Amino acid sequence: MNRPSARTRLTTALVLLLSLLASPPASAADPSTTLARIQARGSVVCGMQADNPPFSLPDSQGRWQGLDVDSCRALAAATLGDPAKATIRAVTGLTRFPALQSGEIDVLLGSTTWLTTRETALGLVFAGANYFSGQGFLVRRSLGVNRIAELDGASICVPPGSSTEVILQDWFRRHGGTFRPVVIDDPNQIQSAFLSNRCDAFTRDMTGLSGFRMRQPDPDEFLVLPEIITMEPLGAFIRKGDDGWLDIVRWTLLVPVVAEQLEIGAADADRPSAVPDVRRLLGLEGGIGASMGLDARWAANILRAVGNYGEMWQRHVAPTGLPRGLNRLWSQGGLMYAPPLR
């Protein structure tokens, strides 16, 4: 057997090293294919639930409102310079993942929880959280129930194919109880089933329950039970394999948090500033937008469109009466934190 000489092996190694040094990583050289499609189409398509206040809900004139809607409008502002170029596509618990996997939507919002198997088995990646919640229960006061344990044997409305159903099964199994699931996919039908007494309790994230309760003619007829049985990071999912789009979605979600940390809001998007961190955020220096294939003012466009996270909260969540809780900034005891934008 002829073995290569030491000189040949050294030459080969040097050629390989030089080729590696000369070639940038693929993720740094390749533009986002999703962004290219969005720019060619002229709109960002976001999937979310059709009746899910304070996250997403069409108003009486068909205009979508809510925290997730603002996140989609922020993406349109970042990528296309215009928040009005956000297209909302209604999805359900059963249709949301196929819609994302097939490319029907560019990003999935809609109060979707970050779970292991949604990344490892579905070919998706969680881009970031825009809300921290937990699963709770809503009952009629006339049922006489004040704690979850008192729902042993009760009928509970749940959507199929959701983490809600699995969590519910785990909780009752762990506590030695039972329940009768009433499985309905359409969120509107679930709510109608609960209101028509087809189920004793309605379970989902606490914010959604509170929003639903507040929309009833007599909210005091209903009670949100005090316990929260999970920790639910809710936010945006995208398809795996497009790191450039992941960067854009992740940092678009973080920009309102960065702005609140810097104590600036929508009214400051076009004001001059001498503060280096603010100047980078507003695209006055730093070149961050260009590193993602975006306009220099991409983050200023987001701020102008939706404001900082506190402004988004006041617009959509505060009217439900829910305390900000875990969604306060980290400096105020919450979980909302953004790394440096530089």
Side-chain angles (χ1 to χ4, degrees):
M1 179 182 296
N2 294 324
R3 296 181 181 275
S5 67
R7 181 176 180 178
T8 300
R9 291 196 300 269
L10 178 59
T11 301
T12 301
L14 286 172
V15 170
L16 178 60
L17 178 60
L18 289 172
S19 66
L20 289 173
L21 291 174
S23 302
S27 59
D30 296 339
S32 164
T33 55
T34 304
L35 176 61
R37 285 197 297 269
I38 288 169
Q39 291 174 332
R41 185 198 305 135
S43 70
V44 178
V45 183
C46 304
M48 58 189 74
Q49 296 179 41
D51 189 2
N52 188 27
F55 300 104
S56 53
L57 178 73
D59 63 18
S60 59
Q61 297 182 344
R63 294 174 301 198
W64 287 79
Q65 307 288 339
L67 194 71
D68 283 341
V69 178
D70 270 6
S71 292
C72 187
R73 294 177 70 244
L75 276 169
T79 56
L80 300 169
D82 185 353
K85 292 183 178 180
T87 298
I88 310 300
R89 190 73 48 82
V91 295
T92 69
L94 291 180
T95 65
R96 55 185 170 168
F97 297 126
L100 182 58
Q101 291 164 327
S102 68
E104 179 184 344
I105 58 178
D106 301 311
V107 59
L108 172 64
L109 290 155
S111 301
T112 302
T113 307
W114 188 11
L115 297 177
T116 309
T117 51
R118 289 175 177 172
E119 293 194 322
T120 59
L122 297 183
L124 308 178
V125 60
F126 188 72
N130 66 352
Y131 194 90
F132 293 96
S133 186
Q135 185 173 334
F137 296 81
L138 182 73
V139 298
R140 292 182 181 273
R141 289 187 185 273
S142 59
L143 190 65
V145 168
N146 295 292
R147 312 291 293 185
I148 299 174
E150 297 170 15
L151 289 174
D152 187 20
S155 57
I156 302 177
C157 281
V158 295
S162 69
S163 61
T164 302
E165 185 179 10
V166 175
I167 292 164
L168 193 58
Q169 293 168 346
D170 289 348
W171 192 92
F172 276 93
R173 185 171 61 181
R174 187 168 65 251
H175 291 85
T178 61
F179 73 99
R180 292 179 289 114
V182 179
V183 181
I184 304 171
D185 184 36
D186 188 307
N188 291 314
Q189 292 182 17
I190 289 180
Q191 295 167 10
S192 297
F194 173 70
L195 292 174
S196 62
N197 291 308
R198 283 182 56 194
C199 49
D200 299 313
F202 172 25
T203 184
R204 58 167 300 168
D205 67 88
M206 292 287 279
T207 308
L209 291 178
S210 298
F212 171 74
R213 175 180 173 272
M214 292 302 295
R215 297 201 326 274
Q216 302 313 305
D218 183 8
D220 288 338
E221 183 183 349
F222 303 93
L223 173 68
V224 178
L225 299 183
E227 301 113 316
I228 298 176
I229 65 173
T230 62
M231 179 62 193
E232 301 276 327
L234 309 177
F237 277 87
I238 64 171
R239 292 176 294 277
K240 278 187 177 178
D242 190 338
D243 290 345
W245 183 232
L246 175 60
D247 290 339
I248 292 168
V249 176
R250 173 177 291 157
W251 284 100
T252 294
L253 292 175
L254 288 170
V255 160
V257 181
V258 173
E260 189 177 13
Q261 290 176 170
L262 294 173
E263 299 182 344
I264 64 172
D268 303 302
D270 296 302
R271 291 177 180 168
S273 175
V275 179
D277 284 338
V278 175
R279 290 181 60 80
R280 280 188 287 268
L281 176 68
L282 299 181
L284 302 175
E285 62 179 69
I288 295 172
S291 72
M292 295 187 285
L294 303 178
D295 183 81
R297 297 279 283 166
W298 70 283
N301 292 339
I302 293 171
L303 190 59
R304 190 182 305 110
V306 301
N308 66 36
Y309 188 80
E311 290 173 311
M312 293 166 64
W313 181 277
Q314 286 301 121
R315 190 161 52 244
H316 302 298
V317 187
T320 69
L322 277 176
R324 190 160 164 184
L326 294 175
N327 295 287
R328 296 191 301 265
L329 292 180
W330 65 274
S331 56
Q332 300 166 0
L335 296 177
M336 279 295 167
Y337 167 79
L341 189 69
R342 65 173 76 107

